Amino acid sequence: MGSRPVGRELDEVMFDRTLSRAEQLAQTAKYYTAHLSGLHAVNNSLRQVAARAFTQRFTDIALGITKRNAALDKRLATSGLDESNIDGVLEGIRRFVDVDKQADSKITGIRWEEWQKVDPQSADLFRLATWREARRAVQEHTIGETAPWMNTTIGKILTQFRTFTLVAHSKQFLHGVNHADMQTATAWSLSSLFAGLSYTAQTSLNYAHNERELQRRLTIENISKSAFQRSGFSSLIPMGIDTVANFTSGESIFAYGRTTGLGTGAITGNPTFDLVSTKGLG
């Protein structure tokens, strides 16, 4: 955390020491806020659950419980496991992953040190594949998954609170469209379901003492639109629609979906623009 000099992540034409220090201070505050709020603990738990699920699924493939087909191989290839290395990984799982055959082959342990000693290449490939799948499942990203312009000073201003949405475009939307299978349909359906539940819960708490506003925001139409907007796979679609709507009708189709309460258009939903235009600072 402290060794990550944000102002020097990418070289820029202009470099200001004061702004760099302020940015580093903001990142430090963000780091501790995430820990104190429990966000990091939740993300770690989600990563562990996703990693265990992927490991169990791949073990089922290695043991023949889950049959391989073209669609499954296509999915595994996106995690770095293709026809050139998948057989070695499967063999490693059969040799070094311990399962309880009386409990539907549930994993009881992995002898990582032994695997690493005997066949380090397949062990590393499997670790990397598990890491990729876990991060995709919880929608985590690194600087390498964002466009270079997003990490400049202007880029950071333009993409405030939008990084999740922008990265979800490739990790969720394009990835799902590429596979277009039952797993994608299930993932997108569950994403919409939980997004709708979170919107309903948040709205019920925020407007518990305003019955009129509560009824207006909790209509089937508004819940459905907000569930779609908060789903990872929707990515840039709601923002694109509302950006056009803002310029044409002056209204927003997805007016209540953002957890921050900001607008949904590309311009009106920017925190800096909102601060200047609606808080009387302009």
Coordinates of all heavy atoms in Angstrom, one line a residue, residues 78-159:
T78 N -9.7 -19.4 -21.6 CA -9.7 -18.0 -21.1 C -9.0 -17.9 -19.8 O -8.6 -16.8 -19.4 CB -11.1 -17.4 -21.0 OG1 -11.8 -18.2 -20.0 CG2 -11.9 -17.5 -22.3
S79 N -8.7 -19.0 -19.1 CA -8.0 -19.0 -17.9 C -6.5 -19.4 -18.0 O -5.8 -19.5 -17.1 CB -8.7 -19.9 -16.8 OG -10.0 -19.5 -16.6
G80 N -6.2 -19.6 -19.3 CA -4.8 -20.0 -19.6 C -4.5 -21.5 -19.7 O -3.4 -21.9 -19.8
L81 N -5.6 -22.3 -19.7 CA -5.5 -23.7 -19.8 C -6.0 -24.2 -21.2 O -7.3 -24.3 -21.4 CB -6.3 -24.4 -18.7 CG -5.8 -24.0 -17.3 CD1 -6.7 -24.7 -16.2 CD2 -4.4 -24.4 -17.0
D82 N -5.2 -24.4 -22.1 CA -5.6 -24.9 -23.5 C -5.0 -26.2 -23.8 O -4.5 -26.9 -22.9 CB -5.1 -23.8 -24.5 CG -3.6 -23.6 -24.5 OD1 -2.9 -24.5 -24.1 OD2 -3.2 -22.5 -24.8
E83 N -5.2 -26.7 -25.0 CA -4.8 -28.0 -25.4 C -3.3 -28.3 -25.3 O -2.9 -29.5 -25.2 CB -5.3 -28.3 -26.8 CG -4.7 -27.3 -27.8 CD -5.2 -27.6 -29.3 OE1 -6.1 -28.3 -29.4 OE2 -4.6 -27.0 -30.2
S84 N -2.5 -27.3 -25.2 CA -1.1 -27.5 -25.1 C -0.6 -27.8 -23.6 O 0.5 -28.3 -23.4 CB -0.3 -26.2 -25.5 OG -0.6 -25.1 -24.7
N85 N -1.5 -27.5 -22.6 CA -1.0 -27.7 -21.3 C -2.1 -28.3 -20.4 O -1.8 -28.7 -19.2 CB -0.6 -26.4 -20.6 CG -1.6 -25.3 -20.7 OD1 -2.8 -25.6 -20.5 ND2 -1.2 -24.1 -21.0
I86 N -3.3 -28.5 -20.8 CA -4.4 -28.9 -20.0 C -4.2 -30.4 -19.5 O -4.5 -30.7 -18.3 CB -5.8 -28.7 -20.7 CG1 -6.9 -28.9 -19.6 CG2 -5.9 -29.7 -21.8 CD1 -8.2 -28.5 -20.2
D87 N -3.7 -31.2 -20.3 CA -3.5 -32.6 -19.9 C -2.5 -32.7 -18.7 O -2.7 -33.5 -17.8 CB -3.0 -33.4 -21.1 CG -4.0 -33.6 -22.2 OD1 -5.2 -33.6 -21.8 OD2 -3.6 -33.8 -23.3
G88 N -1.5 -31.9 -18.7 CA -0.5 -32.0 -17.6 C -1.1 -31.5 -16.3 O -0.9 -32.0 -15.3
V89 N -2.0 -30.5 -16.4 CA -2.7 -30.0 -15.2 C -3.7 -31.0 -14.7 O -3.8 -31.3 -13.5 CB -3.4 -28.7 -15.5 CG1 -4.2 -28.2 -14.3 CG2 -2.4 -27.6 -15.9
L90 N -4.4 -31.6 -15.6 CA -5.3 -32.7 -15.2 C -4.6 -33.8 -14.5 O -5.1 -34.4 -13.5 CB -6.1 -33.2 -16.4 CG -7.1 -32.2 -17.0 CD1 -7.7 -32.8 -18.3 CD2 -8.3 -31.9 -16.1
E91 N -3.5 -34.2 -15.0 CA -2.7 -35.3 -14.4 C -2.2 -34.9 -13.0 O -2.2 -35.7 -12.1 CB -1.5 -35.7 -15.3 CG -0.6 -36.8 -14.8 CD -1.4 -38.1 -14.6 OE1 -2.4 -38.4 -15.3 OE2 -0.9 -38.9 -13.7
G92 N -1.8 -33.6 -12.9 CA -1.3 -33.2 -11.6 C -2.4 -33.2 -10.6 O -2.2 -33.5 -9.4
I93 N -3.6 -32.8 -11.0 CA -4.8 -32.9 -10.1 C -5.1 -34.3 -9.6 O -5.3 -34.6 -8.4 CB -6.0 -32.2 -10.7 CG1 -5.8 -30.7 -10.9 CG2 -7.3 -32.5 -9.9 CD1 -6.9 -30.0 -11.6
R94 N -5.0 -35.2 -10.6 CA -5.3 -36.6 -10.2 C -4.3 -37.2 -9.2 O -4.6 -38.0 -8.4 CB -5.4 -37.5 -11.5 CG -6.6 -37.3 -12.3 CD -6.7 -38.3 -13.4 NE -5.8 -38.1 -14.5 CZ -6.2 -37.4 -15.6 NH1 -7.4 -36.9 -15.7 NH2 -5.3 -37.1 -16.5
R95 N -3.0 -36.7 -9.3 CA -2.0 -37.2 -8.5 C -1.8 -36.5 -7.1 O -1.6 -37.1 -6.1 CB -0.6 -37.0 -9.2 CG -0.4 -37.9 -10.4 CD 0.9 -37.7 -11.1 NE 2.0 -38.0 -10.2 CZ 3.3 -37.8 -10.5 NH1 3.6 -37.3 -11.7 NH2 4.2 -38.1 -9.6
F96 N -2.1 -35.2 -7.1 CA -1.8 -34.4 -5.9 C -3.0 -33.8 -5.2 O -2.8 -33.1 -4.2 CB -0.8 -33.3 -6.3 CG 0.5 -33.9 -6.9 CD1 0.8 -33.6 -8.3 CD2 1.4 -34.6 -6.2 CE1 1.9 -34.2 -8.8 CE2 2.5 -35.1 -6.8 CZ 2.8 -34.9 -8.1
V97 N -4.2 -34.0 -5.7 CA -5.3 -33.5 -5.0 C -6.0 -34.6 -4.3 O -6.4 -35.6 -5.0 CB -6.3 -32.8 -6.0 CG1 -7.6 -32.3 -5.3 CG2 -5.6 -31.5 -6.6
D98 N -6.2 -34.5 -3.0 CA -6.9 -35.6 -2.3 C -8.4 -35.3 -2.2 O -8.8 -34.2 -1.9 CB -6.3 -35.6 -0.8 CG -4.8 -35.9 -0.9 OD1 -4.4 -36.7 -1.7 OD2 -4.1 -35.3 0.0
V99 N -9.2 -36.3 -2.4 CA -10.6 -36.2 -2.4 C -11.3 -37.3 -1.5 O -10.6 -38.3 -1.3 CB -11.2 -36.2 -3.8 CG1 -10.7 -35.1 -4.7 CG2 -11.0 -37.6 -4.4
D100 N -12.5 -37.0 -1.1 CA -13.3 -38.0 -0.3 C -14.3 -38.6 -1.3 O -15.3 -38.0 -1.6 CB -14.0 -37.3 0.9 CG -14.7 -38.3 1.7 OD1 -14.8 -39.5 1.4 OD2 -15.2 -37.8 2.8
K101 N -14.0 -39.8 -1.7 CA -14.8 -40.4 -2.7 C -16.2 -40.8 -2.2 O -17.2 -40.9 -3.0 CB -14.1 -41.7 -3.3 CG -12.9 -41.3 -4.1 CD -12.3 -42.6 -4.7 CE -11.0 -42.3 -5.5 NZ -10.4 -43.5 -6.1
Q102 N -16.4 -40.9 -0.9 CA -17.7 -41.2 -0.3 C -18.5 -39.9 -0.2 O -19.7 -40.0 0.2 CB -17.5 -41.8 1.0 CG -16.8 -43.2 0.9 CD -16.7 -43.9 2.3 OE1 -16.8 -43.3 3.3 NE2 -16.4 -45.2 2.2
A103 N -17.9 -38.7 -0.4 CA -18.7 -37.5 -0.3 C -18.6 -36.7 -1.6 O -18.3 -35.6 -1.7 CB -18.1 -36.6 0.8
D104 N -19.0 -37.4 -2.7 CA -19.0 -36.9 -4.1 C -17.7 -36.3 -4.5 O -17.6 -35.2 -5.1 CB -20.1 -35.8 -4.2 CG -21.5 -36.4 -4.0 OD1 -21.7 -37.6 -4.4 OD2 -22.4 -35.7 -3.4
S105 N -16.6 -36.9 -4.1 CA -15.2 -36.5 -4.5 C -14.9 -35.1 -4.0 O -14.2 -34.3 -4.7 CB -15.0 -36.6 -6.0 OG -15.1 -37.9 -6.4
K106 N -15.4 -34.7 -2.8 CA -15.1 -33.4 -2.3 C -13.6 -33.3 -1.9 O -13.0 -34.2 -1.4 CB -15.9 -33.1 -1.0 CG -15.7 -31.8 -0.4 CD -16.6 -31.6 0.8 CE -16.3 -30.2 1.5 NZ -17.2 -30.0 2.7
I107 N -13.0 -32.2 -2.3 CA -11.6 -32.0 -2.0 C -11.3 -31.9 -0.5 O -11.9 -31.2 0.2 CB -11.0 -30.7 -2.7 CG1 -11.2 -30.9 -4.2 CG2 -9.6 -30.5 -2.3 CD1 -10.8 -29.6 -5.0
T108 N -10.3 -32.7 -0.1 CA -9.9 -32.7 1.3 C -8.5 -32.0 1.5 O -8.2 -31.7 2.6 CB -9.9 -34.1 1.9 OG1 -9.0 -34.9 1.2 CG2 -11.3 -34.7 1.9
G109 N -7.8 -31.9 0.5 CA -6.5 -31.3 0.6 C -5.7 -31.3 -0.8 O -6.0 -32.1 -1.7
I110 N -4.7 -30.4 -0.9 CA -3.9 -30.4 -2.1 C -2.4 -30.4 -1.6 O -2.0 -29.5 -0.8 CB -4.2 -29.1 -2.9 CG1 -5.6 -29.0 -3.4 CG2 -3.3 -29.1 -4.2 CD1 -6.0 -27.8 -4.1
R111 N -1.7 -31.3 -2.1 CA -0.3 -31.4 -1.7 C 0.6 -30.5 -2.7 O 1.3 -31.0 -3.6 CB 0.2 -32.9 -1.8 CG -0.4 -33.7 -0.7 CD -0.2 -35.2 -0.9 NE -1.2 -35.8 -1.7 CZ -0.9 -36.5 -2.8 NH1 0.4 -36.6 -3.2 NH2 -1.8 -37.0 -3.5
W112 N 0.5 -29.2 -2.4 CA 1.1 -28.2 -3.3 C 2.6 -28.4 -3.4 O 3.2 -28.3 -4.5 CB 0.8 -26.8 -2.8 CG -0.6 -26.3 -3.1 CD1 -1.6 -26.0 -2.2 CD2 -1.1 -26.1 -4.4 NE1 -2.7 -25.6 -2.8 CE2 -2.5 -25.6 -4.2 CE3 -0.6 -26.2 -5.7 CZ2 -3.3 -25.3 -5.3 CZ3 -1.5 -25.8 -6.8 CH2 -2.8 -25.4 -6.5
E113 N 3.3 -28.6 -2.2 CA 4.7 -28.7 -2.2 C 5.2 -29.9 -3.0 O 6.2 -29.8 -3.8 CB 5.2 -28.8 -0.8 CG 5.0 -27.5 0.0 CD 5.6 -27.6 1.4 OE1 6.2 -28.7 1.8 OE2 5.5 -26.6 2.2
E114 N 4.5 -31.0 -2.9 CA 4.9 -32.2 -3.7 C 4.7 -31.9 -5.1 O 5.5 -32.3 -6.0 CB 4.1 -33.4 -3.2 CG 4.5 -34.7 -3.8 CD 3.7 -35.8 -3.2 OE1 3.0 -35.7 -2.2 OE2 3.8 -36.9 -3.8
W115 N 3.5 -31.3 -5.5 CA 3.2 -31.0 -6.9 C 4.2 -30.1 -7.5 O 4.7 -30.3 -8.6 CB 1.8 -30.4 -6.9 CG 1.2 -30.3 -8.3 CD1 1.9 -30.5 -9.5 CD2 -0.1 -29.9 -8.7 NE1 1.0 -30.3 -10.6 CE2 -0.2 -29.9 -10.1 CE3 -1.2 -29.5 -7.9 CZ2 -1.3 -29.6 -10.8 CZ3 -2.4 -29.2 -8.6 CH2 -2.4 -29.2 -10.0
Q116 N 4.6 -29.0 -6.7 CA 5.5 -28.1 -7.2 C 6.9 -28.7 -7.4 O 7.6 -28.3 -8.4 CB 5.7 -26.9 -6.2 CG 6.5 -25.8 -6.6 CD 5.9 -24.9 -7.7 OE1 4.7 -24.7 -7.7 NE2 6.6 -24.5 -8.7
K117 N 7.3 -29.7 -6.6 CA 8.6 -30.3 -6.8 C 8.6 -31.2 -8.0 O 9.6 -31.3 -8.7 CB 8.9 -31.1 -5.5 CG 10.3 -31.7 -5.5 CD 10.5 -32.4 -4.1 CE 11.9 -33.0 -4.1 NZ 12.2 -33.7 -2.8
V118 N 7.5 -32.0 -8.2 CA 7.5 -33.0 -9.3 C 7.2 -32.3 -10.6 O 7.9 -32.6 -11.6 CB 6.4 -34.0 -9.0 CG1 6.3 -35.0 -10.2 CG2 6.7 -34.8 -7.7
D119 N 6.3 -31.4 -10.7 CA 5.9 -30.8 -12.0 C 5.5 -29.3 -11.7 O 4.4 -28.9 -11.7 CB 4.7 -31.5 -12.6 CG 4.5 -31.0 -14.0 OD1 5.2 -30.1 -14.5 OD2 3.5 -31.6 -14.6
P120 N 6.5 -28.4 -11.6 CA 6.3 -27.0 -11.3 C 5.5 -26.3 -12.3 O 4.7 -25.4 -12.0 CB 7.7 -26.4 -11.1 CG 8.6 -27.4 -11.9 CD 8.0 -28.7 -11.7
Q121 N 5.6 -26.7 -13.6 CA 4.9 -26.0 -14.7 C 3.4 -26.1 -14.5 O 2.7 -25.2 -14.6 CB 5.4 -26.5 -16.0 CG 4.7 -25.7 -17.2 CD 5.2 -26.2 -18.5 OE1 6.0 -27.2 -18.6 NE2 4.8 -25.5 -19.6
S122 N 2.9 -27.4 -14.4 CA 1.5 -27.6 -14.3 C 0.9 -27.0 -13.0 O -0.2 -26.5 -13.0 CB 1.2 -29.1 -14.4 OG 1.7 -29.8 -13.3
A123 N 1.7 -27.1 -11.9 CA 1.3 -26.5 -10.6 C 1.1 -25.0 -10.8 O 0.1 -24.4 -10.3 CB 2.3 -26.8 -9.5
D124 N 2.1 -24.3 -11.4 CA 2.0 -22.9 -11.6 C 0.8 -22.5 -12.5 O 0.1 -21.5 -12.3 CB 3.3 -22.3 -12.2 CG 4.4 -22.4 -11.1 OD1 4.1 -22.5 -9.9 OD2 5.6 -22.3 -11.5
L125 N 0.6 -23.3 -13.6 CA -0.5 -23.0 -14.5 C -1.8 -23.1 -13.8 O -2.7 -22.3 -14.0 CB -0.5 -24.0 -15.6 CG 0.6 -23.8 -16.7 CD1 0.7 -25.0 -17.7 CD2 0.2 -22.5 -17.5
F126 N -2.0 -24.1 -12.9 CA -3.2 -24.3 -12.2 C -3.4 -23.1 -11.2 O -4.5 -22.6 -11.0 CB -3.3 -25.6 -11.5 CG -4.6 -25.9 -10.8 CD1 -5.8 -26.0 -11.6 CD2 -4.7 -26.1 -9.5 CE1 -7.0 -26.2 -11.0 CE2 -5.9 -26.4 -8.8 CZ -7.0 -26.4 -9.6
R127 N -2.4 -22.7 -10.5 CA -2.5 -21.6 -9.6 C -2.9 -20.3 -10.3 O -3.8 -19.6 -9.9 CB -1.1 -21.4 -8.9 CG -0.8 -22.3 -7.7 CD 0.3 -21.6 -6.9 NE 0.6 -22.5 -5.7 CZ 1.7 -23.3 -5.7 NH1 2.5 -23.4 -6.8 NH2 1.9 -24.0 -4.6
L128 N -2.3 -20.1 -11.5 CA -2.6 -18.9 -12.3 C -4.1 -18.9 -12.7 O -4.8 -17.9 -12.7 CB -1.7 -18.8 -13.4 CG -1.8 -17.6 -14.4 CD1 -1.7 -16.3 -13.6 CD2 -0.9 -17.6 -15.5
A129 N -4.5 -20.1 -13.2 CA -5.9 -20.2 -13.7 C -6.9 -20.0 -12.6 O -7.9 -19.3 -12.7 CB -6.1 -21.6 -14.3
T130 N -6.6 -20.5 -11.4 CA -7.5 -20.3 -10.2 C -7.5 -18.8 -9.8 O -8.5 -18.3 -9.5 CB -7.0 -21.2 -9.0 OG1 -6.9 -22.5 -9.4 CG2 -7.9 -21.0 -7.8
W131 N -6.3 -18.2 -9.9 CA -6.2 -16.8 -9.5 C -7.1 -15.9 -10.5 O -7.8 -15.0 -10.1 CB -4.8 -16.3 -9.6 CG -4.5 -14.9 -9.2 CD1 -4.4 -14.4 -8.0 CD2 -4.3 -13.8 -10.1 NE1 -4.2 -13.0 -8.0 CE2 -4.1 -12.7 -9.4 CE3 -4.2 -13.8 -11.5 CZ2 -3.8 -11.4 -9.9 CZ3 -4.0 -12.5 -12.1 CH2 -3.8 -11.4 -11.3
R132 N -7.0 -16.2 -11.8 CA -7.7 -15.5 -12.8 C -9.2 -15.6 -12.6 O -10.0 -14.7 -12.7 CB -7.3 -15.9 -14.2 CG -6.0 -15.5 -14.6 CD -5.5 -16.1 -15.9 NE -4.3 -15.5 -16.5 CZ -3.6 -16.0 -17.5 NH1 -4.0 -17.2 -18.0 NH2 -2.5 -15.4 -17.9
E133 N -9.7 -16.9 -12.4 CA -11.1 -17.1 -12.2 C -11.6 -16.5 -11.0 O -12.7 -15.9 -11.0 CB -11.3 -18.6 -12.2 CG -11.2 -19.3 -13.5 CD -12.2 -18.9 -14.5 OE1 -13.4 -18.7 -14.1 OE2 -11.9 -18.6 -15.6
A134 N -10.9 -16.5 -9.9 CA -11.3 -15.9 -8.6 C -11.5 -14.4 -8.8 O -12.4 -13.8 -8.3 CB -10.4 -16.2 -7.5
R135 N -10.5 -13.7 -9.4 CA -10.6 -12.3 -9.6 C -11.7 -11.9 -10.6 O -12.3 -10.9 -10.4 CB -9.2 -11.8 -10.1 CG -8.1 -11.8 -9.1 CD -6.8 -11.3 -9.6 NE -6.9 -9.9 -9.9 CZ -6.6 -8.9 -9.1 NH1 -6.3 -9.2 -7.8 NH2 -6.7 -7.7 -9.4
R136 N -11.9 -12.7 -11.6 CA -13.0 -12.5 -12.5 C -14.4 -12.6 -11.7 O -15.3 -11.8 -11.9 CB -13.0 -13.4 -13.7 CG -14.2 -13.1 -14.7 CD -14.2 -14.1 -15.8 NE -13.1 -13.8 -16.7 CZ -12.1 -14.7 -17.0 NH1 -12.2 -15.9 -16.4 NH2 -11.2 -14.4 -17.8
A137 N -14.5 -13.6 -10.9 CA -15.7 -13.8 -10.2 C -16.1 -12.6 -9.2 O -17.3 -12.3 -9.1 CB -15.7 -15.1 -9.4
V138 N -15.1 -12.0 -8.6 CA -15.4 -10.9 -7.6 C -15.1 -9.6 -8.3 O -15.2 -8.5 -7.6 CB -14.5 -11.1 -6.4 CG1 -14.8 -12.4 -5.7 CG2 -13.0 -11.0 -6.7
Q139 N -14.8 -9.6 -9.6 CA -14.6 -8.3 -10.4 C -13.5 -7.5 -9.8 O -13.7 -6.3 -9.6 CB -15.9 -7.6 -10.4 CG -16.0 -6.4 -11.3 CD -15.7 -6.8 -12.8 OE1 -16.3 -7.7 -13.3 NE2 -14.7 -6.1 -13.4
E140 N -12.4 -8.1 -9.5 CA -11.2 -7.3 -9.1 C -10.4 -7.0 -10.4 O -10.4 -7.7 -11.3 CB -10.3 -8.0 -8.1 CG -10.9 -8.0 -6.7 CD -9.9 -8.5 -5.7 OE1 -9.4 -9.6 -5.9 OE2 -9.7 -7.8 -4.7
H141 N -9.6 -5.9 -10.4 CA -8.8 -5.5 -11.5 C -7.5 -5.0 -11.1 O -7.3 -4.6 -10.0 CB -9.6 -4.5 -12.4 CG -9.7 -3.2 -11.7 ND1 -10.7 -2.9 -10.8 CD2 -8.9 -2.0 -11.7 CE1 -10.6 -1.6 -10.4 NE2 -9.5 -1.1 -10.9
T142 N -6.6 -5.0 -12.0 CA -5.3 -4.4 -11.8 C -5.1 -3.3 -12.9 O -5.9 -3.1 -13.8 CB -4.1 -5.4 -12.0 OG1 -4.2 -5.9 -13.4 CG2 -4.3 -6.6 -11.1
I143 N -4.0 -2.5 -12.7 CA -3.8 -1.4 -13.6 C -3.6 -1.9 -15.1 O -3.9 -1.2 -16.0 CB -2.5 -0.6 -13.2 CG1 -2.4 0.7 -14.0 CG2 -1.3 -1.5 -13.3 CD1 -1.3 1.6 -13.5
G144 N -3.2 -3.1 -15.2 CA -3.0 -3.7 -16.6 C -4.3 -3.9 -17.3 O -4.3 -4.1 -18.5
E145 N -5.4 -3.9 -16.6 CA -6.7 -4.2 -17.2 C -7.5 -2.9 -17.5 O -8.6 -2.9 -17.9 CB -7.5 -5.1 -16.2 CG -6.9 -6.5 -16.1 CD -7.6 -7.3 -15.0 OE1 -7.9 -6.7 -13.9 OE2 -7.8 -8.5 -15.2
T146 N -6.8 -1.8 -17.3 CA -7.4 -0.5 -17.6 C -6.6 0.2 -18.8 O -5.4 -0.1 -18.9 CB -7.4 0.5 -16.4 OG1 -6.1 0.6 -15.9 CG2 -8.3 -0.1 -15.3
A147 N -7.3 1.0 -19.5 CA -6.6 1.7 -20.6 C -5.6 2.7 -20.1 O -5.8 3.3 -19.0 CB -7.6 2.4 -21.5
P148 N -4.5 2.9 -20.7 CA -3.4 3.9 -20.2 C -4.0 5.3 -19.9 O -3.6 5.9 -18.9 CB -2.4 3.9 -21.4 CG -2.5 2.6 -22.0 CD -4.0 2.3 -22.0
W149 N -4.9 5.8 -20.7 CA -5.5 7.1 -20.5 C -6.2 7.2 -19.2 O -6.4 8.3 -18.6 CB -6.3 7.6 -21.6 CG -7.6 6.8 -21.8 CD1 -7.8 5.7 -22.6 CD2 -8.9 7.1 -21.2 NE1 -9.1 5.2 -22.4 CE2 -9.8 6.1 -21.6 CE3 -9.3 8.0 -20.3 CZ2 -11.1 6.0 -21.2 CZ3 -10.6 8.0 -19.8 CH2 -11.5 7.0 -20.3
M150 N -6.8 6.1 -18.7 CA -7.6 6.1 -17.5 C -6.7 6.3 -16.2 O -7.2 6.7 -15.2 CB -8.3 4.8 -17.3 CG -9.4 4.5 -18.3 SD -10.1 2.9 -18.3 CE -10.6 2.8 -16.6
N151 N -5.4 6.2 -16.4 CA -4.5 6.3 -15.2 C -3.7 7.7 -15.3 O -2.8 7.9 -14.5 CB -3.5 5.2 -15.2 CG -4.2 3.8 -15.0 OD1 -4.6 3.5 -14.0 ND2 -4.4 3.1 -16.1
T152 N -4.1 8.5 -16.2 CA -3.6 9.9 -16.2 C -4.4 10.7 -15.3 O -5.5 10.3 -14.8 CB -3.6 10.5 -17.6 OG1 -4.9 10.6 -18.1 CG2 -2.8 9.6 -18.6
T153 N -4.0 11.9 -15.0 CA -4.7 12.8 -14.1 C -6.1 13.1 -14.6 O -7.1 13.0 -13.9 CB -4.0 14.2 -13.9 OG1 -2.7 13.9 -13.3 CG2 -4.7 15.1 -13.0
I154 N -6.2 13.5 -15.9 CA -7.5 13.8 -16.5 C -8.3 12.5 -16.6 O -9.6 12.5 -16.3 CB -7.3 14.4 -17.9 CG1 -6.6 15.7 -17.9 CG2 -8.7 14.5 -18.6 CD1 -7.3 16.8 -17.0
G155 N -7.7 11.4 -16.9 CA -8.4 10.1 -17.0 C -9.0 9.7 -15.7 O -10.1 9.2 -15.6
K156 N -8.3 9.9 -14.6 CA -8.8 9.6 -13.3 C -10.0 10.4 -12.9 O -11.0 10.0 -12.2 CB -7.7 9.7 -12.2 CG -6.6 8.6 -12.3 CD -5.5 8.9 -11.4 CE -4.4 7.9 -11.6 NZ -3.2 8.1 -10.7
I157 N -10.0 11.7 -13.3 CA -11.2 12.6 -13.1 C -12.4 12.1 -13.9 O -13.5 12.0 -13.3 CB -10.8 14.0 -13.4 CG1 -9.7 14.6 -12.5 CG2 -12.1 14.9 -13.4 CD1 -9.2 15.9 -12.8
L158 N -12.1 11.7 -15.1 CA -13.3 11.3 -16.0 C -13.9 10.0 -15.6 O -15.0 9.7 -15.8 CB -12.8 11.3 -17.4 CG -12.4 12.6 -18.1 CD1 -11.8 12.4 -19.5 CD2 -13.6 13.6 -18.1
T159 N -13.0 9.1 -15.0 CA -13.5 7.8 -14.7 C -13.8 7.6 -13.2 O -13.9 6.4 -12.7 CB -12.5 6.7 -15.2 OG1 -11.2 6.9 -14.5 CG2 -12.3 6.8 -16.7

